[in-house]
């Protein structure tokens, strides 16, 4: 019963819908229009269109309204399609079938219908649809309610048939959803150039002085707006839609790349965000997870140290060092007391569980139908699973000879160890503990401590994950005291964690060291080569992992992240107070570029460093070629990425990971990459790109990133170039028409110049251009440095293209003017050319020149390039002939009637067109030839060497083939 009279107000909770989409059916049009008109060029053309509607302008409103409508429509369709894909993915998650308890029975419903307080049933291998608190399971063993009973959304049930849990957090309030970080809309690098062109446009308008009249101010405003309309095409509105199409269509090449296809798992690369393609070519920092990203996340037992003697795993058998498998004493047929105790500790000190299906039935867990079946283990840590599987063949425990588990002392990051207290068949109480070297050896009072320490160091140098194993015997009195203290700590209502930590430390002392284990987390294929290639490319790699210090360092060494010649500074165990003296005194000499520096920092020290010495710490980090951050929480990973990307240099960052704990880091970086690993799909779903293996990162950056950046840089600057070419003659013409706002080009030409006549060649270029052979880019990572720091999209390249546009525009206009002259007739009958003929001549020369300029920039020709390049010129001529050769009844005026036909009927006009085009492009050709021979770039030299070598190889192969055929 609820309290009456309004004393109880039910709290409102979020429903269980996950929403990653951006739009709905109702808000798509207004929201999309608002976002599109936030772009400078779109808003600018909207103003132009409104001005054309309100005042008398030299051009029709269609000249700006039609391109604007086309751009807005195409962009809206593209963004709507991408959002529809997000809706589709959301609906699959929200519509997944689930079972909840309603009215005393199980009811099938959809995931989105779960509410806080519902009791949900989850079966084996199903994903938890909400954040649940475990209420019951079908296993016979139970536990006290605690933090471990919270089952987070996105995790998968593995170790039992089914469980029941109560929903406590739903929808966007689940921990998984709260870790999501919506990506802010990035401002395109194009917009800074748009501002420049707007400034130049204003200068042109001010130079075009207003006509004299009685009302000077009104006339000035009217003329100002009229010239704004006349010169508005210097801002390339179609650039945005071309860039959108280039990114959208270009992203398919990543998915189609067979080099990024992983045959074993049948997974190909996937693109979730096409807006970041060019940033793949600008990455300066890579932040990577370790387990599952650099490694396979498959642990295998390799070596151990028992009582000061080192053993190796050879074909499933433990063999002492120095003995072969076939040696008489090489196999442990009879275990000595120390060895047996060590293996028992490994077998018993863990939290591994057996598949519930294998524990049912009369035959017990070891045999089914009289045939021994391998047990399927489930473990929270792959290390534990590997150790249990490795020790099982050496220990045979019968049902009447089992150990009873009394207490589990759970692992925590401060102690860095876990323990179990068991009772042996003889009634003896034993403590078995395992943990990091630094957490076990100082607490051990006996055993081969020195030898074990040496062996642990040797294991770590091989890249093995190490654990030390120890034990302690309890007298009945000691165990009684321990049981009392544990009960009091676990039932404490206040400061339970602190009291448990004190009791655990009291129990885990006076240990007898048994030995150590070395487990290999196998590196993924070609990880070392990939990291070395990233380093050669000038990219700094940071490994951010939750693993402990020793393990993380050993893997960094084995994968090539750290190497032996590095000067490594360690900031661990909160030793941040030594940061300043290390840095200033004898720590790092950053002026010596021969020595490479590495840094190791743990999560606790990182928090202190960022709080007390953030500026100094970030300076140290940025001067290190490799940084390892161990014992990191997910939000700490994201914070590190955020600090670096917001530093004054504002470097482009890339984060890569495979698990849900990497999502915040992936979303924080400029470019997020998910690995299709074994820890669910959260990282893949929240990434910009997804690949199956870490090794694919090299081709993604060095080939696709390089190509995308070069293509988009040329596309953007070429657009500004051709629009400067387009509008500058219009400005120059005003000096010959007394600034009367007379247009040089016909309105149809104004409208179709960017949409039809010059759009396709640059679009196809931006999709297919390969200025260097892909094999060269991947085999020579140093070429990635040539495009770093936005080298091809900076102010110098932009200034070059802009000046080139003005230069060509002056040749178009004054070349046509000089050849035609005031008293020159280019027609056989002596008739003079008029205004529209002159403008058409300039426009024709311009269309041919800017198209040929694109052809000069193209290195990789396909039949599509030929078709659109020469086809664009042919289309312009055919269109102009039809447009000016027929009287169209729906046009109010037709100033261009028979103008183009008359122009082409003059041989002198043809001579003028050819001469002006050659004059424009001759200097471009000379410049390219001289630069290639006098100042060749690294790219050109490497590419030529590869092509020469490839040509010679093909020649010799062809010669051998001909000789074989002749014989």
């Amino acid at each position: 019963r609820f309290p009456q009279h309004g004393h109880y107000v039910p709290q409102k909770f979020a429903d269980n819908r996950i929403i990653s989409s951006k739009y709905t059916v109702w808000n798509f049009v207004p929201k999309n229009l608002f976002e599109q008109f936030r772009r400078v060029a779109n808003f600018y053309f909207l103003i132009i269109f409104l001005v054309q509607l309100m005042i008398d302008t030299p051009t029709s409103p269609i000249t700006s309204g039609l391109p604007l409508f086309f751009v807005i429509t195409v962009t809206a369709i593209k963004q709507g399609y991408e959002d529809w894909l997000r809706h589709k993915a959301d609906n699959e998650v929200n519509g997944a079938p689930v079972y909840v308890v309603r009215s005393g029975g199980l009811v099938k419903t959809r995931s989105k219908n779960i509410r806080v307080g519902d009791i949900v049933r989850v079966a084996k291998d199903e994903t938890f649809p909400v954040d649940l608190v475990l209420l019951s399971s079908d296993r016979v063993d139970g536990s006290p309610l605690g933090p471990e009973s919270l089952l987070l959304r996105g995790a998968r049930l593995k170790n039992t048939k089914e469980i029941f849990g109560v929903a406590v957090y739903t929808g966007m309030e689940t921990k998984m959803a709260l870790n999501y970080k919506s990506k802010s809309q990035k401002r395109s690098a194009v917009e800074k150039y748009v501002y420049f062109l707007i400034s130049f446009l204003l200068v042109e308008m001010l130079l075009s002085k207003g006509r004299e009249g009685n009302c000077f101010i009104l006339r000035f405003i009217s003329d100002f707006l009229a010239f704004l309309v006349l010169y508005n095409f210097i801002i390339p509105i179609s650039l945005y839609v071309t860039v959108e199409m280039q990114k959208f269509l270009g992203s398919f090449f990543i998915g189609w790349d067979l080099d990024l296809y992983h045959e074993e798992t049948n997974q190909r690369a996937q693109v979730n965000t096409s807006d970041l393609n060019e940033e793949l070519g600008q990455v300066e920092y890579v932040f990577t997870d370790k387990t599952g990203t650099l490694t396979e996340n498959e642990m295998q037992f390799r070596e151990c140290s028992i009582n000061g003697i080192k053993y190796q795993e050879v074909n499933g058998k433990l063999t002492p060092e120095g003995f072969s498998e076939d040696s008489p004493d090489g196999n442990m047929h009879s275990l000595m007391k120390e060895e047996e105790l060590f293996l028992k500790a490994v077998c018993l000190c863990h939290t591994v569980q057996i598949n519930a299906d294998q524990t049912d039935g009369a035959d017990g867990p070891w045999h089914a139908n009289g045939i021994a079946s391998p047990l399927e283990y489930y473990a929270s840590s792959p290390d534990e699973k590997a150790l249990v599987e490795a020790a099982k063949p050496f220990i045979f425990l019968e049902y009447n000879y089992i150990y009873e588990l009394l207490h589990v002392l759970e692992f925590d990051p401060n102690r860095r160890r876990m323990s179990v207290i068991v009772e042996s068949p003889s009634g003896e109480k034993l403590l078995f503990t395992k943990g990091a070297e630094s957490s076990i050896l100082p607490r051990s009072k006996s055993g081969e401590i020195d030898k074990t320490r040496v062996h642990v160091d040797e294991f770590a140098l091989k890249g093995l994950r190490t654990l030390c194993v120890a034990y302690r015997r309890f007298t009945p009195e000691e165990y009684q005291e321990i049981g009392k203290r544990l009960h009091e700590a676990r039932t404490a209502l206040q400061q339970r964690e602190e009291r448990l930590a004190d009791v655990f430390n009291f129990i885990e002392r006076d240990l007898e060291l048994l030995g150590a284990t070395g487990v290999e987390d196998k590196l993924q294929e070609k990880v070392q080569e990939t990291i070395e290639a990233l380093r050669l490319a000038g990219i700094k790699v940071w490994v951010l992992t939750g693993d402990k210090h020793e393990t993380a360092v050993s893997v960094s060494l084995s994968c090539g992240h750290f190497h032996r010649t590095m000067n490594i500074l360690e900031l661990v165990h909160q030793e941040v107070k030594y940061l300043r003296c290390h840095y200033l005194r004898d720590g790092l000499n950053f002026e010596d570029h021969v020595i490479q520096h590495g840094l190791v920092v743990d999560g606790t020290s990182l928090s202190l460093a960022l709080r007390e010495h953030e500026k100094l710490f970030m300076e140290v980090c940025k001067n290190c070629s490799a940084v390892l951050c161990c014992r990191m929480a997910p939000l700490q990973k994201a914070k590190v990425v955020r600090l670096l990307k917001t530093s004054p240099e504002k470097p482009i960052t890339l984060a890569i990971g495979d698990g849900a704990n990497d999502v915040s880091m992936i979303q924080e970086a400029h470019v997020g990459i998910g690995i299709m690993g074994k820890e669910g799909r959260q990282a893949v779903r929240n990434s910009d790109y997804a690949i199956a293996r870490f090794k694919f990162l090299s081709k993604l950056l060095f080939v696709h990133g390089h190509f995308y950046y070069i293509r988009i840089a040329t596309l953007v600057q070429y657009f500004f170039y051709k629009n400067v070419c387009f509008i500058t003659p219009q400005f120059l013409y005003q000096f010959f028409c007394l600034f009367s706002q007379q247009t040089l080009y016909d309105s149809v030409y104004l409208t179709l110049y960017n949409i039809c006549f010059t759009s396709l060649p640059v679009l196809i270029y931006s999709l297919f251009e390969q200025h260097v052979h892909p094999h060269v880019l991947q085999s020579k990572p140093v070429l990635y440095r040539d495009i770093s720091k936005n080298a091809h999209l900076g102010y110098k390249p932009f200034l070059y293209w802009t000046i080139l546009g003005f230069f060509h525009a002056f040749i178009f206009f004054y070349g046509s003017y000089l050849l035609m002259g005031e008293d020159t007739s280019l027609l056989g009958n002596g008739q003079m050319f008029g205004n529209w003929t002159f403008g058409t001549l300039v426009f024709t020369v311009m269309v041919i020149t800017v198209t040929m300029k694109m052809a000069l920039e193209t290195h990789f020709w396909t039949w599509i390039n030929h078709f659109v390049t020469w086809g664009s010129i042919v289309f312009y001529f055919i269109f102009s002939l039809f447009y000016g050769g027929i009287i169209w009844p729906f046009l109010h005026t037709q100033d261009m009637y028979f103008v183009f036909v008359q122009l082409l009927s003059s041989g002198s006009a043809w001579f003028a067109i050819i001469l002006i085009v050659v004059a424009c492009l001759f200097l471009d050709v000379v410049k390219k030839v001289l630069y290639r021979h006098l100042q060749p770039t690294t790219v050109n030299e490497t590419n030529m060497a590869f092509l020469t070598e490839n040509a010679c190889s093909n020649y010799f192969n062809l010669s051998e083939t001909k000789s074989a055929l002749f014989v």
Side-chain angles (χ1 to χ4, degrees):
R1 286 187 175 183
F2 291 111
Q4 302 299 318
H5 309 296
H7 293 295
Y8 174 75
V9 179
Q11 187 174 352
K12 293 183 179 180
F13 297 101
D15 59 26
N16 198 39
R17 288 181 300 171
I18 289 292
I19 301 174
S20 63
S21 55
K22 196 174 184 180
Y23 306 105
T24 66
V25 176
W26 308 109
N27 71 8
F28 175 74
V29 173
K31 189 173 182 180
N32 186 264
L33 287 177
F34 172 75
E35 290 179 348
Q36 291 208 55
F37 283 116
R38 289 174 62 189
R39 288 178 167 175
V40 179
N42 290 349
F43 182 74
Y44 166 81
F45 267 85
L46 177 64
I47 297 298
I48 296 295
F49 178 65
L50 295 177
V51 169
Q52 287 177 300
L53 291 176
M54 290 187 294
I55 68 171
D56 183 23
T57 57
T59 58
S60 167
I62 297 177
T63 58
S64 58
L66 185 61
L68 178 63
F69 176 78
F70 176 76
V71 168
I72 294 296
T73 303
V74 172
T75 304
I77 291 173
K78 184 251 184 186
Q79 293 179 349
Y81 171 74
E82 289 183 341
D83 202 62
W84 175 78
L85 294 178
R86 288 190 285 266
H87 271 282
K88 186 178 178 182
D90 289 344
N91 291 336
E92 290 180 2
V93 175
N94 296 329
V98 296
Y99 286 91
V100 299
V101 176
R102 299 273 170 83
S103 303
L106 277 178
V107 177
K108 186 178 182 180
T109 184
R110 297 186 181 277
S111 175
K112 64 182 179 182
N113 297 327
I114 300 177
R115 298 292 183 268
V116 171
D118 282 346
I119 296 177
V120 185
R121 189 198 76 173
V122 182
K124 182 183 177 183
D125 291 327
E126 290 183 352
T127 301
F128 299 127
V130 293
D131 287 353
L132 298 167
V133 168
L134 177 66
L135 297 180
S136 69
S137 72
D138 69 335
R139 298 183 69 92
V140 295
D141 54 336
S143 57
L145 187 63
E148 68 278 359
S149 301
L150 182 63
L151 312 175
L152 298 179
R153 179 172 191 157
R156 193 180 297 274
L157 180 65
K158 296 297 291 184
N159 62 347
T160 187
K161 285 184 179 179
E162 65 178 20
I163 61 98
F164 287 89
V166 61
V168 289
Y169 295 105
T170 53
M172 302 306 291
E173 293 183 349
T174 58
K175 185 173 182 180
M176 183 180 74
L178 291 175
N179 276 333
Y180 294 168
K181 178 180 177 293
S182 58
K183 279 190 174 288
S184 57
Q185 189 174 13
K186 298 178 181 176
R187 292 181 57 186
S188 171
V190 174
E191 300 206 352
K192 60 183 178 182
Y193 302 123
V194 173
Y195 288 122
F196 171 80
L197 290 181
I198 289 178
S199 302
F200 181 77
L201 173 63
L202 293 175
V203 173
E204 283 188 335
M205 290 158 53
L206 292 174
L207 290 175
S208 304
K209 62 181 179 179
R211 296 182 298 243
E212 295 181 0
N214 295 327
C215 302
F216 173 76
I217 296 178
L218 293 177
R219 177 63 65 184
F220 180 83
I221 295 175
S222 176
D223 286 352
F224 185 85
L225 293 176
F227 282 116
L228 175 67
V229 171
L230 192 63
Y231 302 148
N232 76 85
F233 288 94
I234 197 172
I235 309 297
I237 185 175
S238 58
L239 170 62
Y240 283 115
V241 72
T242 306
V243 168
E244 293 278 355
M245 292 175 65
Q246 188 268 346
K247 290 182 176 181
F248 177 70
L249 297 175
S251 63
F252 287 100
F253 290 102
I254 293 179
W256 293 337
D257 191 342
L258 292 179
D259 290 337
L260 302 181
Y261 170 73
H262 191 242
E263 189 173 359
E264 295 178 14
T265 56
N266 191 29
Q267 292 174 324
R268 59 186 179 90
Q270 113 187 17
V271 179
N272 299 327
T273 304
S274 61
D275 294 334
L276 306 174
N277 292 344
E278 71 276 10
E279 291 196 353
L280 291 172
Q282 292 295 294
V283 174
E284 298 175 60
Y285 287 86
V286 168
F287 299 91
T288 176
D289 179 40
K290 184 185 72 66
T291 305
T293 303
L294 300 179
T295 65
E296 294 283 3
N297 202 13
E298 290 182 357
M299 311 298 175
Q300 291 183 336
F301 174 78
R302 289 303 183 203
E303 297 185 53
C304 67
S305 173
I306 306 176
N307 198 29
I309 300 175
K310 190 160 62 173
Y311 295 85
Q312 296 177 335
E313 188 271 336
V314 180
N315 295 330
K317 299 177 181 179
L318 279 182
T319 304
E321 187 178 36
F323 292 87
S324 65
E325 181 185 0
D326 300 326
S327 301
D329 298 327
N331 298 329
M332 295 178 60
H333 294 296
S334 58
L335 296 175
M336 299 174 61
K337 180 181 178 181
E338 292 80 4
E339 285 83 352
E340 182 178 356
L341 197 56
F342 173 85
L343 293 172
K344 283 182 180 180
V346 173
C347 281
L348 296 172
C349 187
H350 59 78
T351 56
V352 178
Q353 296 183 1
I354 302 173
N355 185 353
D357 296 337
Q358 294 180 297
T359 60
D360 297 333
D363 292 328
W366 300 97
H367 299 275
N369 299 324
I371 302 176
S373 59
L375 292 176
E376 184 178 1
Y377 295 108
Y378 294 113
S380 58
S381 166
D383 301 73
E384 287 194 331
K385 182 182 177 183
L387 290 174
V388 170
E389 289 177 335
K392 187 184 69 174
F394 306 104
I395 297 292
F396 302 95
L397 300 178
E398 301 179 0
Y399 292 117
N400 59 353
Y401 190 70
I402 61 174
Y403 285 73
E404 180 182 356
L405 178 63
L406 302 176
H407 297 284
V408 176
L409 280 57
E410 297 84 1
F411 174 86
D412 68 66
N414 294 322
R415 290 166 40 245
R416 293 190 297 164
R417 58 184 177 271
M418 70 88 59
S419 304
V420 296
I421 300 176
V422 297
E423 182 178 357
S424 68
S426 62
E428 187 179 20
K429 306 297 191 298
L430 297 172
L431 169 80
F432 291 117
T433 183
K434 66 181 179 185
E437 171 195 3
S438 58
S439 69
I440 297 293
L441 295 185
R443 307 180 73 84
S444 301
K445 65 175 184 179
S446 61
E448 296 290 345
I449 297 176
D450 293 334
K451 288 185 178 179
T452 303
R453 181 178 284 111
V454 172
H455 291 165
V456 167
D457 291 339
E458 292 176 359
F459 296 163
L461 290 176
K462 297 178 182 178
L464 303 182
R465 299 161 65 99
T466 60
L467 289 173
C468 289
V469 181
Y471 84 108
R472 177 185 176 186
R473 302 178 189 271
F474 296 122
T475 64
E477 293 77 14
E478 287 176 332
Y479 178 73
Q480 186 176 4
E481 174 67 17
I482 286 170
K484 180 182 177 182
R485 290 196 178 199
L486 279 174
H487 177 73
E488 290 176 353
R490 283 180 169 150
T491 56
L493 298 180
Q494 295 180 343
Q495 298 180 332
R496 182 184 301 177
E497 292 185 2
E498 292 82 356
R499 296 184 66 176
L500 276 174
D502 291 339
V503 175
F504 288 173
N505 286 324
F506 173 76
I507 296 172
E508 297 166 330
R509 59 189 176 89
D510 299 332
L511 302 176
E512 294 186 39
L513 185 65
L514 291 173
T517 61
V519 175
E520 178 187 29
D521 185 4
K522 186 179 179 182
L523 287 174
Q524 290 187 16
E525 184 183 7
K526 295 186 177 179
V527 165
Q528 190 166 1
E529 293 88 339
T530 303
I531 291 179
E532 182 59 28
L534 292 172
R535 185 177 288 117
L536 290 174
I539 299 174
K540 295 181 179 180
V541 180
W542 290 35
V543 176
L544 310 181
T545 176
D547 283 349
K548 53 182 179 263
H549 167 253
E550 295 86 355
T551 302
V553 171
S554 64
V555 174
S556 285
L557 288 168
S558 63
C559 72
H561 180 233
F562 286 163
H563 53 79
R564 306 297 176 194
T565 60
M566 270 189 179
N567 177 32
I568 297 179
L569 171 66
E570 292 195 355
L571 292 175
V572 293
H573 309 315
Q574 306 180 29
E575 293 178 350
V576 182
K577 58 185 177 181
Y578 300 111
L579 175 63
R580 183 174 297 276
C581 67
H582 270 296
Y583 176 74
L584 296 177
R585 189 184 64 203
D586 56 353
L588 301 174
N589 180 14
F590 293 135
E591 300 300 324
D592 187 354
H593 298 288
V594 177
I595 300 177
Q596 289 188 326
H597 307 284
L599 174 67
V600 182
V601 59
D602 60 16
T604 307
S605 302
L606 176 68
S607 299
L608 291 173
L610 295 178
R611 187 163 59 244
E612 299 176 7
H613 306 288
E614 178 180 330
K615 185 177 180 181
L616 178 61
F617 176 74
M618 295 307 296
E619 184 181 353
V620 171
C621 288
K622 284 185 285 188
N623 283 282
C624 292
S625 57
V627 176
L628 171 63
C629 301
C630 52
R631 302 174 66 84
M632 296 281 287
L635 293 180
Q636 279 185 311
K637 295 182 180 181
K639 186 176 182 180
V640 170
V641 176
R642 181 167 59 252
L643 281 172
L644 196 65
K645 81 173 189 179
T646 55
S647 61
E649 296 83 5
K650 298 193 183 307
I652 301 298
T653 57
L654 180 147
I656 180 170
D658 70 317
N661 60 335
D662 301 316
V663 168
S664 58
M665 174 181 71
I666 288 173
Q667 292 183 324
E668 186 63 55
H670 292 94
V671 181
I673 297 184
I675 294 287
M676 303 169 186
K678 302 174 182 178
E679 295 192 11
R681 306 286 292 183
Q682 282 80 14
V684 171
R685 291 195 189 105
N686 291 277
S687 62
D688 302 308
Y689 304 88
I691 53 179
R693 287 294 183 268
F694 183 81
K695 66 177 181 179
F696 295 151
L697 186 62
S698 60
K699 183 165 190 184
L700 190 65
L701 298 184
F702 302 153
V703 179
H704 290 286
H706 198 116
F707 283 155
Y708 284 136
Y709 177 74
I710 292 294
R711 294 166 183 170
I712 202 71
T714 305
L715 182 151
V716 169
Q717 294 171 125
Y718 173 79
F719 250 92
F720 288 118
Y721 153 79
K722 71 186 183 74
N723 276 44
V724 169
C725 289
F726 181 39
I727 212 62
T728 302
Q730 180 74 72
F731 170 70
L732 297 175
Y733 185 61
Q734 296 306 303
F735 290 93
F736 293 85
C737 66
L738 298 179
F739 295 93
S740 62
Q741 301 158 18
Q742 169 65 39
T743 178
L744 180 62
Y745 314 120
D746 182 72
S747 295
V748 173
Y749 285 164
L750 286 171
T751 304
L752 298 182
Y753 175 76
N754 278 318
I755 294 179
C756 296
F757 298 148
T758 61
S759 59
L760 281 180
V762 67
L763 176 61
I764 297 303
Y765 167 92
S766 66
L767 291 175
F768 295 105
E769 172 64 0
Q770 296 182 11
H771 65 297
V772 187
H773 196 281
H775 176 75
V776 175
L777 290 177
Q778 190 159 8
S779 60
K780 305 289 184 182
V782 71
L783 298 180
Y784 193 83
R785 296 173 181 257
D786 292 346
I787 61 171
S788 62
K789 306 289 185 183
N790 209 17
H792 290 259
L793 204 52
Y795 286 107
K796 286 185 179 179
F798 176 75
L799 194 61
Y800 162 75
W801 280 95
T802 305
I803 294 175
L804 184 66
F806 285 122
F807 175 71
H808 285 178
F810 273 81
I811 296 179
F812 299 157
F813 184 83
Y814 287 108
S816 300
Y817 178 75
L818 292 175
L819 289 173
M820 292 181 64
E822 296 182 354
D823 300 320
T824 304
S825 172
L826 298 183
L827 296 175
N829 58 6
Q831 185 177 349
M832 302 291 292
F833 278 172
N835 171 64
W836 295 114
T837 310
F838 175 74
T840 303
L841 175 61
V842 173
F843 191 85
T844 302
V845 169
M846 177 174 56
V847 169
I848 297 174
T849 302
V850 298
T851 305
M852 292 295 295
K853 174 60 178 173
M854 188 75 264
L856 285 176
E857 295 299 316
T858 303
H859 298 81
F860 186 74
W861 284 89
T862 66
W863 68 267
I864 303 179
N865 293 83
H866 284 289
F867 179 77
V868 299
T869 300
W870 316 123
S872 294
I873 298 176
V874 172
F875 172 75
Y876 164 71
F877 277 87
I878 294 175
F879 173 84
S880 298
L881 287 172
F882 274 92
Y883 171 59
I886 300 175
I887 297 178
W888 301 96
F890 53 84
L891 295 178
H892 299 293
T893 59
Q894 197 163 352
D895 298 324
M896 293 294 294
Y897 178 69
F898 220 64
V899 169
F900 197 72
V901 176
Q902 187 183 46
L903 178 68
L904 296 186
S905 65
S906 169
S908 300
W910 280 102
F911 175 75
I913 292 172
I914 295 173
L915 184 62
I916 295 173
V917 171
V918 171
C920 286
L921 298 179
F922 176 74
L923 291 180
D924 291 53
V925 174
V926 171
K927 170 184 169 294
K928 280 185 173 291
V929 172
L930 291 178
Y931 264 77
R932 184 162 293 182
H933 287 82
L934 300 179
Q935 292 184 343
T937 63
T938 308
V939 171
N940 289 334
E941 290 179 337
T942 309
N943 200 35
M944 287 300 297
F946 171 79
L947 294 176
T948 303
E949 180 183 352
N950 199 37
C952 293
S953 175
N954 290 340
Y955 172 78
F956 287 117
N957 290 339
L958 183 63
S959 301
E960 291 175 2
T961 304
K962 287 181 178 178
S963 300
L965 289 174
F966 177 77
V967 172

